[in-house]
Every structure is written in C-alpha cells, then in structure tokens.
Amino acid sequence: MRYRAILAGCGAMSKGWLRAIADTPYLSENVEIVGLVDLNLAAAQERAEEFSLAVPVGSDLAAMLDQLNPDIVFDVVIPQARQSLVVTALNHGCHVLSEKPMAQSLSDAQGLLALSTDTRLVHAIIQNRRFNMGIRRLKRFIDDGHLGEITAIHADFFVGAHFGGFREAMDNVLLLDMAIHTFDAARFLAGSKPTAVYCHETNPKGSWYRHGAAANAIFEFENDLTFTYRGSWSAEGANTSWESGWRIIGTKGTVLWDGYEKFEANIVSGTDGFFRPLKPVEVPAPAFVEQTNGHASVLSDFVGALRADTRPETDNHDNINSLAMVLSAIESARTQSRVRIDPGA
C-alpha cells in the first residue's frame, strides 16, 4: 500500500519535493501524489504538467481533503499560511510534513504539537540540511569520541543571495528563513539542548532585504557547551557554503569543515611543548549513507517512521527546540538582552 499524499504550495520549493519523490525508488514505491493545492490555481496546474501528474488540482485544501481523503499532506506553503494549513490537515486525519519554520511563534508551535499529539498523527519538519554528507560525517566523528567532550561549536554563513519574492520583504529574514538550518544542525551535533542566547541582528548598508539580513549570536547549551553563529545574506565577494563553515572544539582536539568536501581534524598527541603536538585524524564516512541525500532523506525518514509507527528524526516534538533557538534569538535582538530558551513543550 502506498501512502496517498496531497502537496500544498506549488511555488519553486515544491519542485525539490516532487523531484525527490519521483527520483527516489523508496519514495516512489511508498508515496503516491494524488492532488496539488495552491491559492494560485495556475501554479498547481503548471506543477502537475511539469511532473506529468494526472491528478486533481485545487485552491481549497479542505475541499481537496474531503474529495481525495489522503494519508499525508506535504506542506510547502509560505510561513504565514502554515498554522492554518497544518491544523486543517491534522483535523482531517492526515500526517503532515512541513517546510520550515514549524510555526511563527512558540505558542503556535505548542498548539500544533498538542494537536498532533491529541490526534495521534505525525507532524514533522523538513530540516533537509541536517541530512547531508558533511553534517552526518561530523556527527559520526563526534559520537565516536575522537574530540572527547565537545566544548564549542562555531559556524560562519556568508552568502549574497538575490532571491526576489517574499524573502526580501520578510522580517528577520536570515534568522527565520535560513539560520534555522544551521541552528538545527548545531543542536544535532551538540546532542544537547540550548538554554540561552544573546543575538545582535542588523540589516547592513547595501542590503537588498527589507529587514534582518545579518546576525551574530552566542548560544549557551547544556553541559557548558557554547555555539556561536555569524551570518549574512547580503555579504558579497566571498561566499561560504550554504551549509556554513564549521569549527568544532573538544577536550582532545578540533575538527574543521568548510561546508563543501574539505575536513581537517587534529587531536592532541603529547603532553610537552608550548603548543602540544597534534596528530591528524581522518573524518570517516557517515554510518548510514542513505541519510545524506537532503530532501530525499528527510522524506524517506518521515515515510519510514510512518511505516514503523515511530517518530521521524525531525518530528515536531524535537524540532520545536530549533524553532525556539530562532525565536529566542529574534527576541534577544529586539530587546538587546540575553534570553532564556524555553520551548515550553
């Protein structure tokens, strides 16, 4: 039996979802797209034609749910429409996989979490950037104990991206729309919960965004771990990787990742000298290569969890902690103060 799914939100991002489903054997064997929904009916029709989907298209999600009775709703709508869509889908008995962010406020996120719990349905978030080769290699390296106890994680993100469209009109555009990927990856690597943040947010001169194209944040985590983030979406001339550049420090040494394919790891190998002698260590391949394919991997993890009656890795019970990092950073920037992080879940 294949899960019947409606995809809601047929803008540019929907292409990545539909392409992953079409090109990944596990997904095409387990998921059938039975309908497309968008307020712009022409966009839904265009996407159906592009992916050769002979399915109904509509602009009213509730009506399409009543008509098609799917098992899953794939939520690719703009953030402002997410709350209503997810509530509608859950109340119609559908599991939901949403684009990020999970919600626009913690109270909204808590409401979605409570509703998914009450309905015994899965709501997860497509944090696809934690499902890439580099992050999974770092996670295995950390978990294997090469660095000892992790004390600090640092990430730099500098990309001059000209999207046009809704992003350039958003509030807190970097923190809300992009930094959540890096925050979520840092939380994944840390293996512990964030507890507080201090953030300074700006919109630099020359920025083509309306608000919040740059931010610097210091996060406190459990176990005395510190995570720092420096980022800008209006920094041109020396782009980093979309995955950021990383430095992870432990009690035994340090690993660097440039966000592409370059890793450098050294551990202390002696007890003498002003600078202690170091030994290079190879960063191994990830334990599970199938978890390194971005959209396809997070979609497969979601579908696999439904099959196994378990929670996917990016289930809302977990992802609310990444959302709390973002919203607390925004609050810190607004108040110019250190803010405690409490997801309230």
Side-chain angles (χ1 to χ4, degrees):
M1 182 272 279
R2 288 199 293 175
Y3 290 105
R4 293 164 48 81
I6 285 178
L7 184 141
C10 296
M13 286 191 296
S14 67
K15 295 182 181 183
W17 291 60
L18 293 170
R19 191 174 298 114
I21 293 168
D23 294 348
T24 306
Y26 176 78
L27 291 171
S28 59
E29 291 167 6
N30 284 276
V31 176
E32 178 187 6
I33 300 295
V34 297
L36 299 173
V37 176
D38 198 289
L39 291 177
N40 179 0
L41 193 59
Q45 292 168 336
E46 179 183 345
R47 203 64 69 234
E49 292 171 5
E50 180 179 357
F51 286 87
S52 301
L53 295 170
V55 300
V57 300
S59 58
D60 185 330
L61 176 63
M64 291 285 281
L65 292 172
D66 289 336
Q67 175 188 344
L68 299 172
N69 193 30
D71 307 295
I72 295 170
V73 170
F74 292 136
D75 159 25
V76 201
V77 300
I78 61 174
Q80 296 93 318
R82 177 140 304 122
Q83 189 76 10
S84 175
L85 182 146
V86 177
V87 168
T88 298
L90 291 173
N91 281 330
H92 275 76
C94 298
H95 303 289
V96 183
L97 181 60
S98 289
E99 263 294 344
K100 49 73 191 163
M102 175 182 169
Q104 292 194 287
S105 71
L106 277 177
S107 61
D108 282 351
Q110 291 156 4
L112 294 180
L113 195 155
L115 180 58
S116 66
T117 299
D118 290 345
T119 56
R120 298 184 179 181
L121 294 165
V122 174
H123 177 216
I125 317 303
I126 196 159
Q127 296 283 181
N128 55 298
R129 292 187 181 274
R130 73 154 62 182
F131 285 84
N132 69 40
M133 182 69 73
I135 292 296
R136 294 286 163 165
R137 286 181 70 179
L138 287 177
K139 181 63 172 173
R140 179 178 178 185
F141 189 73
I142 291 168
D143 289 350
D144 284 350
H146 294 289
L147 298 179
E149 185 176 352
I150 302 303
T151 59
I153 298 175
H154 305 284
D156 284 344
F157 176 87
F158 297 101
V159 173
H162 294 262
F163 291 102
F166 73 92
R167 287 182 180 85
E168 294 190 3
M170 283 178 63
D171 288 337
N172 315 106
V173 62
L174 179 70
L175 289 171
L176 196 59
D177 195 59
M178 187 63 208
I180 189 169
H181 285 299
T182 311
F183 294 178
D184 181 73
R187 191 172 61 80
F188 175 61
L189 295 173
S192 60
K193 288 186 176 182
T195 59
V197 60
Y198 180 82
C199 181
H200 178 67
E201 181 186 46
T202 62
N203 201 42
K205 290 181 179 179
S207 170
W208 48 96
Y209 296 89
R210 190 185 66 78
H211 182 267
N216 293 267
I218 304 170
F219 287 91
E220 302 167 35
F221 273 69
E222 296 172 337
N223 306 322
D224 295 325
L225 186 152
T226 299
F227 164 54
T228 68
Y229 173 83
R230 301 188 302 178
S232 175
W233 243 351
S234 62
E236 297 187 288
N239 285 346
T240 63
S241 160
W242 283 93
E243 315 306 333
S244 299
W246 296 79
R247 177 185 293 263
I248 302 172
I249 304 169
T251 54
K252 295 181 179 179
T254 293
V255 61
L256 306 177
W257 177 44
D258 68 352
Y260 295 104
E261 297 182 2
K262 182 181 178 181
F263 291 83
E264 181 182 348
N266 293 283
I267 61 172
V268 176
S269 62
T271 57
D272 297 324
F274 183 75
F275 292 118
R276 298 300 194 240
L278 302 176
K279 178 179 73 173
V281 182
E282 182 180 355
V283 178
F288 303 101
V289 176
E290 64 271 17
Q291 294 179 335
T292 64
N293 297 313
H295 270 80
S297 290
V298 71
L299 281 159
S300 296
D301 181 68
F302 176 78
V303 173
L306 297 185
R307 286 270 181 235
D309 194 24
T310 60
R311 288 181 178 174
E313 186 173 306
T314 58
D315 181 78
N316 58 8
H317 290 77
D318 176 78
N319 192 255
I320 195 171
N321 293 288
S322 295
L323 179 66
M325 290 178 73
V326 171
L327 297 180
S328 297
I330 291 172
E331 177 66 11
S332 172
R334 186 185 68 82
T335 61
Q336 299 183 13
S337 64
R338 175 178 175 272
V339 171
R340 294 284 300 174
I341 297 174
D342 180 11

